[in-house]
C-alpha cells in the first residue's frame, strides 16, 4: 500500500512518515511531473493544500483514499472522488488548538501593529516613532470580539479571549443548544464588535460573504481576523476598507489566491498582519495527524470503517 504526500515536508516529518507501516513518497508541490508519475500506483493521497481535481483522481487508477491533513475539503473534487469510489476523510480536532492560538496571536499582533513595529525596529527607527502611533495601538482586553461560526476552533478560542478580558459574542446559521456566550444575528453583530473573527467552512453560501456592505456596517476602527478560508472575503473590498481607514487592520492566515503573490495588494498595507496559511501547523498538530493517517491506512487494509469519512 503506497501513499503520496504532495508537500514540502520537514526532515522530522519525513522521518516520522518513514516509520509508518507502508511506503510514503513525499513530493514538493512544485514538482508536478514526479507527482503525476507517483500517483499512477498510489492507493492513498495525503492531501494538504494542492487542489485534488478530477484530473488528478482520474490519472490515479489505484487510488482508494484521499486523506485530508486538516478539516476543509473544499480543495478536493468530492463528486469526482464519489464517481470513482475513492474515499475522502478529514481530521476534525487535530489542528483545533493550533488554529485557536494563531487566531488569538493575529488579534493581538494586529491591534499592536506588531509587524510594523518589528520592521521599524530592525531598521533602527523603532525609537523614533510618530507620537500619533500611540493612538493606533490597542489592547484586546475590554474589546468585544464577534465569532462568525461557532465550531471547534471558536469554542477553543473562547476561554482564551475571556482570560485576557475580552467580551465575546457569536453568530452562526442557528443558535447552539447550549452556549456560555450570547448568540447575535450576523448583521446585528457587525456594528457592535471591535474584532470580527471568521470560523466558517467555504460553501456556495459563504463565498465572498464578507463584502463591502459588511465592512460598511462594521464599527469604524474595528479589525478583521481570518484563519478560515480566504474566499470568504471580498479582498478588493477589504483593501478599500483598510486603505480608507474604516478598518483599523486585518490579521490574515488565508487568501483567495494561494500562495499569495508579492503583488497581492494586501501584502503592502502596513495595517495588515499576515501568515502563509500555516495556522494549523505545529509539531503537536503533525503528531496528531500522523496518528489518524496510520489508523485510517490500517483500516483501509482491513476493510474497517474509516475515521471521519466525508465521501
Amino acid at each position: 500500500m503506497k501513499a503520496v504526500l504532495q508537500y514540502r515536508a520537514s526532515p522530522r516529518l519525513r522521518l516520522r512518515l518513514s516509520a509508518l507501516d507502508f511506503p510514503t513518497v513525499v513530493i514538493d508541490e512544485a514538482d508536478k511531473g514526479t507527482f503525476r508519475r507517483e500517483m499512477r500506483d498510489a492507493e492513498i493521497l495525503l492531501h494538504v493544500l494542492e487542489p485534488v481535481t478530477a484530473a488528478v483522481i482520474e490519472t490515479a487508477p489505484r487510488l482508494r483514499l484521499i486523506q485530508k491533513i486538516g478539516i476543509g475539503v473544499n480543495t478536493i473534487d468530492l463528486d469526482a472522488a464519489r464517481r470513482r469510489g475513492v474515499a475522502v476523510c478529514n481530521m476534525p480536532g487535530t489542528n483545533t488548538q493550533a488554529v485557536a492560538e494563531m487566531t488569538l496571536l493575529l488579534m493581538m499582533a494586529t491591534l499592536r501593529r506588531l509587524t510594523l513595529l518589528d520592521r521599524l525596529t530592525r531598521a533602527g527607527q523603532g525609537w523614533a516613532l510618530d507620537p500619533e502611533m500611540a493612538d493606533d495601538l490597542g489592547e484586546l482586553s475590554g474589546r468585544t470580539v464577534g465569532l462568525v461560526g461557532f465550531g471547534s476552533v471558536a469554542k477553543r478560542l473562547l476561554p482564551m479571549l475571556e482570560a485576557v478580558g475580552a467580551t465575546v459574542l457569536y453568530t452562526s446559521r442557528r443558535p447552539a443548544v447550549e452556549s456560555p456566550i450570547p448568540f447575535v444575528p450576523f448583521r446585528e453583530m457587525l456594528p457592535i464588535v471591535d474584532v470580527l473573527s471568521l470560523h466558517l467552512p467555504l460553501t456556495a453560501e459563504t463565498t465572498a460573504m464578507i463584502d463591502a456592505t459588511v465592512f460598511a456596517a462594521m464599527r469604524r476602527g474595528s479589525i478583521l481576523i481570518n484563519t478560515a478560508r480566504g474566499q470568504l472575503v471580498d479582498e478588493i473590498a477589504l483593501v478599500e476598507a483598510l486603505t480608507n481607514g474604516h478598518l483599523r487592520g486585518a490579521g490574515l492566515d488565508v487568501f483567495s489566491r494561494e500562495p499569495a503573490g508579492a503583488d497581492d495588494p494586501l501584502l503592502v498595507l502596513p495595517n495588515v498582519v499576515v501568515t502563509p496559511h500555516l495556522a494549523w501547523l505545529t509539531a503537536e498538530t503533525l503528531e496528531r495527524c500522523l496518528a489518524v493517517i496510520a489508523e485510517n491506512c490500517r483500516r483501509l487494509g482491513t476493510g474497517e470503517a474509516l475515521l471521519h469519512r466525508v465521501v
Side-chain angles (χ1 to χ4, degrees):
M1 186 161 53
K2 170 185 166 182
V4 171
L5 171 63
Q6 190 180 16
Y7 187 62
R8 193 174 293 108
S10 68
R12 178 179 177 180
L13 177 56
R14 288 174 182 268
L15 181 63
R16 293 288 286 109
L17 288 168
S18 69
L20 296 174
D21 292 333
F22 49 88
T24 301
V25 179
V26 181
I27 303 164
D28 192 287
E29 297 102 323
D31 192 349
K32 310 298 184 185
T34 300
F35 177 71
R36 285 192 297 270
R37 289 194 300 274
E38 294 292 346
M39 284 301 294
R40 290 171 189 163
D41 61 348
E43 294 182 65
I44 303 159
L45 173 59
L46 304 177
H47 169 57
V48 183
L49 290 174
E50 282 289 309
V52 183
T53 63
V56 169
I57 295 170
E58 290 304 318
T59 54
R62 300 185 61 188
L63 188 63
R64 300 170 60 196
L65 168 64
I66 301 170
Q67 176 65 68
K68 169 69 178 183
I69 301 178
I71 300 173
V73 294
N74 57 289
T75 49
I76 302 171
D77 191 325
L78 299 180
D79 290 334
R82 195 175 288 111
R83 287 194 299 269
R84 272 281 315 280
V86 177
V88 177
C89 299
N90 64 357
M91 298 179 174
T94 53
N95 62 16
T96 299
Q97 183 69 27
V99 177
E101 289 187 12
M102 179 65 87
T103 304
L104 179 65
L105 176 63
L106 286 173
M107 289 180 186
M108 292 180 167
T110 302
L111 284 168
R112 299 296 289 271
R113 302 291 293 276
L114 186 63
T115 52
L116 176 61
L117 293 176
D118 179 87
R119 177 171 58 80
L120 292 175
T121 304
R122 290 174 187 274
Q125 301 172 12
W127 289 264
L129 295 174
D130 186 329
E132 292 185 5
M133 177 171 278
D135 296 332
D136 200 31
L137 305 178
E139 298 175 358
L140 191 53
S141 177
R143 284 184 158 80
T144 300
V145 178
L147 305 175
V148 184
F150 201 52
S152 59
V153 171
K155 289 174 181 174
R156 187 69 59 87
L157 179 62
L158 171 58
M160 300 180 189
L161 293 169
E162 291 180 327
V164 298
T167 298
V168 190
L169 313 172
Y170 84 97
T171 192
S172 60
R173 294 182 65 181
R174 61 185 66 85
V177 176
E178 292 184 8
S179 172
I181 57 173
F183 168 88
V184 180
F186 177 61
R187 292 289 169 176
E188 295 179 22
M189 171 185 283
L190 298 175
I192 62 175
V193 298
D194 303 292
V195 180
L196 193 71
S197 186
L198 306 184
H199 303 279
L200 296 169
L202 182 67
T203 66
E205 181 182 359
T206 62
T207 297
M209 67 173 287
I210 310 300
D211 58 13
T213 62
V214 168
F215 295 131
M218 289 173 66
R219 179 180 292 175
R220 185 172 184 84
S222 56
I223 69 171
L224 176 75
I225 304 296
N226 190 5
T227 53
R229 286 292 182 267
Q231 296 94 328
L232 297 172
V233 179
D234 178 341
E235 291 183 346
I236 295 175
L238 175 58
V239 169
E240 174 62 24
L242 290 165
T243 302
N244 66 27
H246 187 73
L247 290 188
R248 172 194 293 257
L252 308 172
D253 182 59
V254 289
F255 300 84
S256 60
R257 183 186 59 155
E258 294 181 346
D263 59 342
D264 191 312
L266 285 166
L267 301 185
V268 301
L269 298 179
N271 53 347
V272 177
V273 179
V274 294
T275 51
H277 202 152
L278 290 181
W280 64 278
L281 184 58
T282 63
E284 293 84 357
T285 290
L286 288 176
E287 288 300 320
R288 292 187 287 265
C289 289
L290 284 164
V292 176
I293 290 169
E295 178 61 16
N296 260 354
C297 291
R298 185 193 68 79
R299 293 184 180 213
L300 188 68
T302 62
E304 297 174 60
L306 300 172
L307 297 174
H308 313 306
R309 185 165 181 170
V310 178
V311 170

